[in-house]
Amino acid sequence: MTKIAMVLGHDLLIPNEDTRVYREALALIKAGYEVTVFCWSRRLEKYDTKWEVERDGIKVIRIFEDLKGGFFSKVKSFRKALKKLEEKVTEYEPDLIHAHDLEVLDVAVNIKNKTSTKIIFDSHEDWPMMESCLLYTSDAADEGLGVDLGGRR
């Protein structure tokens, strides 16, 4: 059976189910694949949350790493979290890795470079559009112009 590892930069189930990922995992299971979701449960209490759960045939493996402290402490914790995800996914020995978030793409690429595992990257965000908006708002700020962000400031 083909093993698929999905990697997320947030929890699949808590506080809200990530319906896009959940439905994809269900469809893959119905098609005969084994699916395990590896997620960084960064806002959950590791002592109150199960590290591994299974729902509807989807196995969920969580890693926990707090992002507390100053900037450099957060960068260090971020790197630790990605390293933990990489170790867990590597142990699983998937045939395919699906990275669902930009921050976890590096995990998939590192594993691919070591094992030749195939990877898929599905960006849920429109990064080119987000960057163009950021550039637009930055340029406007440099010019001292007001920018309408649709009611957001």
Side-chain angles (χ1 to χ4, degrees), residues 33-51:
Y33 296 93
E34 178 182 311
V35 178
T36 301
V37 178
F38 297 84
C39 51
W40 178 11
S41 300
R42 62 177 95 189
R43 290 178 181 84
L44 300 178
E45 177 57 48
K46 65 183 173 184
Y47 300 110
D48 295 336
T49 310
K50 291 184 178 178
W51 290 59

Side-chain angles (χ1 to χ4, degrees), residues 28-89:
L28 288 167
I29 288 168
K30 286 179 184 173
Y33 296 93
E34 178 182 311
V35 178
T36 301
V37 178
F38 297 84
C39 51
W40 178 11
S41 300
R42 62 177 95 189
R43 290 178 181 84
L44 300 178
E45 177 57 48
K46 65 183 173 184
Y47 300 110
D48 295 336
T49 310
K50 291 184 178 178
W51 290 59
E52 294 187 18
V53 294
E54 188 168 322
R55 187 191 293 175
D56 297 328
I58 303 167
K59 187 172 183 182
V60 179
I61 297 178
R62 296 179 170 112
I63 64 102
F64 297 87
E65 187 64 44
D66 291 328
L67 288 177
K68 293 183 179 175
F71 176 76
F72 291 108
S73 293
K74 288 180 181 174
V75 169
K76 187 176 178 182
S77 294
F78 187 84
R79 287 183 165 169
K80 278 181 169 177
L82 295 183
K83 187 68 177 162
K84 287 178 184 179
L85 279 172
E86 188 174 325
E87 288 168 1
K88 291 285 187 186
V89 175

